[in-house]
Amino acid sequence: MRILQQAIEPHLAAALSEVGIDDTSNLASLLQRVKEESQGDVALPCFTFAKHLGRAPAEFAAELADALQATVASESLLAEVHAVGGFLNFRADVSTLAQEVIPQTLADPAAAGHARDPSALLIEHTSANPNGPFHVGRSRNAILGDCFVRLHRLAGDEVRAEYYVDDMGKQVGILAWALENLDDDRVNEVLAAAGIDEESNHPDKVDHQRVRNYQAANVLRDDDPGIEEAVSEMVRLSEEADPDTLDAFGKAYQPVLDGMLDTLDRLGIQYDSFTKESRFIIDGSVDKVLDELRQSELAAQAENGAWYLELAERGVAGKNTRFYFQRGDGSSLYATRDIAYHRWKWTQADRLLNILGEDHRLQSHQVAVALGEVGESSPEVVFYAFTKLPDGKMSTRRGNVVFMDDLLDEATARATEVVSTIRTDLDDESLTTIGEAVGISSVRFNILRVSPEKGINFRWEDALSLEADSAPFLMYSHARACSIVRRLLADGHDVEAALTTVGDLDWSDLSESAAGLVRSISRFAEQLNSSIENRRPNQFCSYLLGLATDYNRFYRDNPVRTPDGIDVNNLALSEAARHLICAGCKGFGVVPLESM
């Protein structure tokens, strides 16, 4: 509860100074939310301070509590301070809290998540190889990345969402070779023999068509070294920026990428910019990086002429202490081009954030060290664990994947079926709209509610859950709040005029559930920023579910429509909660429907 922290920090700093603690510069970071709401709102652990003074923590906390009793009387926002063990607990006066928070939220809902100085941020995410349809194994990167884009924007940051296009790698080379050398009959024959001849549920999408060529080429590569040689030659030419090869690669992958982006768009994921890997070969950036890396004190040359950085003294251990950045034939590697890409990205924003699978930890560390060798800073990184099928990791090459198009179709169908049994009054168009929104929101939220470092074993029943603590619960809570205003307007009330008095309202007689909602609303920005700083969207998921739960308790006990007209206090609380639930839903890519 940042507003309470800001109120008590100067008083607390003064009290600590009186007992011999002069350095209180980290006070803001020490103050934390009390886990048991019955004991307060904000707590200060006193263990470090007590140890510094040679005191018992419980005794020291009790002494501070006594010293701050005068503050309780002078600070209207503070209702109570008391010691619990080695903690100093503070409780806000809920009526004063409501006077501060509710008018502020209603006056500028868009700024509700702003609690720090904004920054310019470039977030690179997804960047999947354009060799086939977007599948569930890739979805966690895209959904996590898009969520960070949305949450940072909600917190007031200027964010650019970036897709790095691998337009010259081996995967694209295989696809280009396959399209040039395999007709449909040969593709069907090869895949049938390999046991991966499943028909697509989206045969008209080019990405679903071309993935079959890619899969067939990989089957043939296993037995025909000539194919591998041909692909390697194409990749070599692309790395030399051969225009004909890059053009052929572009014609091969672009329709696939377009199909992938259509799927991502259905998930509510868009990008502000696309940057091709080949750009940094063409403009000479990679050559400059190669020159600088060869001059590094860490640089060495292998017997075959390849260049590498020896990273043992930079914290890289085991068999991977060598970071190769140039082959013996003088060509660059993907990681070298990645360094040039990051150097360019630093010209675009104050901060860089990459969303990477856990298998990129080593390479990310190596690139970070190499960036330092060319005078650049390393980016911030969020690593996530994989989404797997029961029999292992998904692979486009092997054909053991669940395509995202199929998952979204199934999610929409199941959600539509559930909605149709509840809302028999809906026409087909409305039913389809709600079913699509509920299904896709559920898929996104079920991924985001799991901490990034925890793996996900894909199961249909989990991916499509419509139970409590889910996206539909948030959506229903928002729709319920919208229905209040809709009914008031239908009754002829001027809701906007009623809310103009919110700054003059008396909040001294709040019910228990209304007071709980005020406290929950007051934590919105704090919880948002904590989730961003900890790089754990799942924490904000838990907060938003709690806010929705508190709102539903409030809705049950505190009617807005009364025999005399409108209870403006309850209307103001309902509208403040509606704005924040709506904002939180958008932060997760959950569709905040106004009616369900």
Side-chain angles (χ1 to χ4, degrees):
M1 193 178 292
R2 186 59 186 153
I3 188 171
L4 179 59
Q5 292 179 2
Q6 291 173 333
I8 64 178
E9 277 175 23
H11 302 289
L12 187 53
L16 287 168
S17 179
E18 287 292 324
V19 294
I21 303 294
D22 296 322
D23 183 7
T24 57
S25 57
N26 64 339
L27 201 54
S29 62
L30 291 175
L31 288 165
Q32 57 190 239
R33 181 186 170 192
V34 176
K35 293 182 180 179
E36 289 291 334
E37 291 188 4
S38 61
Q39 295 188 3
D41 296 305
V42 173
L44 174 74
C46 295
F47 303 96
T48 301
F49 297 133
K51 183 178 181 180
H52 177 73
L53 297 174
R55 303 278 301 280
E59 177 188 336
F60 179 73
E63 182 179 330
L64 272 183
D66 290 339
L68 287 166
Q69 291 306 318
T71 301
V72 176
S74 64
E75 180 60 61
S76 61
L77 189 58
L78 184 58
E80 180 185 1
V81 55
H82 63 278
V84 178
F87 291 86
L88 192 63
N89 288 0
F90 301 87
R91 179 177 296 281
D93 177 78
V94 72
S95 61
T96 305
L97 190 63
Q99 288 172 353
E100 293 277 348
V101 171
I102 304 306
Q104 186 180 73
T105 302
L106 293 176
D108 191 3
H114 300 183
R116 54 184 171 80
D117 293 333
S119 61
L121 189 71
L122 188 151
I123 300 179
E124 182 210 333
H125 67 86
T126 310
S127 300
N129 289 322
N131 55 4
F134 202 79
H135 64 67
V136 171
R138 294 168 167 173
S139 66
R140 197 171 194 186
N141 189 311
I143 291 172
L144 266 175
D146 183 61
C147 182
F148 276 106
V149 169
R150 290 166 176 265
L151 293 183
H152 272 281
R153 285 176 177 159
L154 188 57
D157 292 328
E158 179 184 339
V159 183
R160 173 169 152 189
E162 166 92 346
Y163 194 115
Y164 185 43
V165 183
D166 181 1
D167 67 331
M168 53 185 294
K170 188 172 185 178
Q171 309 305 319
V172 176
I174 294 170
L175 178 63
W177 181 92
L179 291 169
E180 183 178 334
N181 292 277
L182 304 178
D183 60 22
D184 290 344
D185 290 340
R186 180 58 172 152
V187 167
N188 293 335
E189 175 190 342
V190 170
L191 293 183
I196 52 176
D197 192 30
E198 293 185 11
E199 291 187 10
S200 168
N201 294 322
H202 295 266
D204 296 330
K205 285 192 71 185
V206 178
D207 50 334
H208 284 259
Q209 296 167 6
R210 293 197 173 186
V211 72
R212 294 174 59 79
N213 294 74
Y214 174 78
Q215 290 168 339
N218 275 295
V219 172
L220 294 171
R221 281 174 59 225
D222 291 339
D223 298 319
D224 186 347
I227 296 176
E228 184 70 22
E229 292 173 5
V231 171
S232 296
E233 176 62 13
M234 296 170 74
V235 172
R236 185 189 69 78
L237 289 171
S238 76
E239 291 176 348
E240 293 179 357
D242 178 70
D244 292 337
T245 303
L246 290 177
D247 182 62
F249 278 16
K251 290 176 180 177
Y253 79 75
Q254 190 61 54
V256 178
L257 179 59
D258 291 341
M260 293 166 63
L261 294 176
D262 286 341
T263 304
L264 290 167
D265 185 67
R266 189 178 175 191
L267 270 166
I269 300 173
Q270 291 90 31
Y271 300 86
D272 300 307
S273 55
F274 296 83
T275 302
K276 295 179 181 180
E277 183 183 344
S278 60
R279 167 183 181 157
F280 305 103
I281 293 285
I282 295 170
D283 69 8
S285 298
V286 171
D287 287 337
K288 184 177 180 181
V289 167
L290 290 173
D291 288 342
E292 292 180 46
L293 288 177
R294 284 195 297 265
Q295 296 172 32
S296 167
E297 63 181 17
L298 303 179
Q301 195 169 19
E303 292 182 1
N304 64 359
W307 284 85
Y308 62 90
L309 299 181
E310 177 53 66
L311 304 182
E313 62 183 74
R314 298 297 174 88
V316 177
K319 299 179 181 179
N320 300 293
T321 63
R322 290 184 175 185
F323 172 67
Y324 283 91
F325 60 86
Q326 185 174 20
R327 297 189 182 96
D329 62 7
S331 63
S332 63
L333 286 82
Y334 176 86
T336 322
R337 301 188 287 275
D338 201 24
I339 295 167
Y341 173 47
H342 277 85
R343 167 173 276 176
W344 171 80
K345 283 201 292 185
W346 278 120
T347 69
Q348 306 296 303
D350 300 331
R351 294 173 59 194
L352 304 180
L353 177 63
N354 296 341
I355 313 299
L356 298 174
E358 59 187 0
D359 59 333
H360 284 73
R361 286 185 183 274
L362 174 61
Q363 182 173 317
S364 180
H365 186 185
Q366 292 173 330
V367 168
V369 175
L371 281 167
E373 292 303 297
V374 297
E376 301 289 350
S377 300
S378 57
E380 303 169 44
V381 183
V382 173
F383 294 104
Y384 63 92
F386 292 117
T387 301
K388 298 180 180 179
L389 291 170
D391 57 350
K393 184 179 177 181
M394 299 185 200
S395 168
T396 302
R397 172 182 175 175
R398 295 196 303 270
N400 61 330
V401 294
V402 175
F403 290 131
M404 206 65 196
D405 291 318
D406 297 332
L407 174 60
L408 297 182
D409 287 346
E410 182 71 16
T412 296
R414 293 194 185 192
T416 301
E417 182 179 357
V418 171
V419 174
S420 68
T421 63
I422 301 171
R423 292 291 305 276
T424 56
D425 58 315
L426 292 175
D427 58 44
D428 289 344
E429 183 179 354
S430 299
L431 186 60
T432 299
T433 299
I434 294 175
E436 176 90 356
V438 171
I440 290 174
S441 297
S442 296
V443 169
R444 287 188 60 124
F445 195 77
N446 285 332
I447 287 176
L448 293 171
R449 63 182 297 188
V450 179
S451 184
E453 75 276 5
K454 293 183 179 179
I456 298 176
N457 291 315
F458 179 82
R459 298 189 305 173
W460 281 101
E461 58 269 32
D462 293 337
L464 302 173
S465 172
L466 302 179
E467 301 301 320
D469 293 348
S470 63
F473 175 65
L474 296 175
M475 299 167 75
Y476 175 74
S477 301
H478 179 260
R480 169 175 265 184
C482 291
S483 71
I484 291 177
V485 173
R486 195 162 51 244
R487 289 196 298 267
L488 289 174
L489 293 174
D491 291 343
H493 293 291
D494 190 336
V495 173
E496 187 175 340
L499 290 174
T500 60
T501 65
V502 68
D504 301 320
L505 294 177
D506 179 4
W507 297 93
S508 61
D509 192 26
L510 289 168
S511 68
E512 182 178 350
S513 57
L517 182 57
V518 169
R519 295 182 188 280
S520 191
I521 287 172
S522 72
R523 293 196 298 269
F524 183 86
E526 168 200 343
Q527 293 293 315
L528 170 63
N529 281 276
S530 175
S531 184
I532 289 173
E533 290 170 5
N534 294 327
R535 298 172 185 163
R536 296 289 184 273
N538 58 295
Q539 294 178 353
F540 195 59
C541 287
S542 298
Y543 162 76
L544 198 64
L545 288 167
L547 174 63
T549 298
D550 287 339
Y551 175 74
N552 283 287
R553 290 184 184 131
F554 161 83
Y555 178 92
R556 177 194 64 202
D557 300 335
N558 305 272
V560 174
R561 300 163 75 199
T562 69
D564 299 327
I566 302 177
D567 185 313
V568 182
N569 290 76
N570 289 344
L571 172 62
L573 259 177
S574 181
E575 281 293 275
R578 178 180 70 83
H579 284 303
L580 298 189
I581 293 173
C582 180
C585 283
K586 290 179 179 179
F588 295 125
V590 170
V591 182
L593 294 174
E594 295 185 4
S595 175
M596 289 180 68

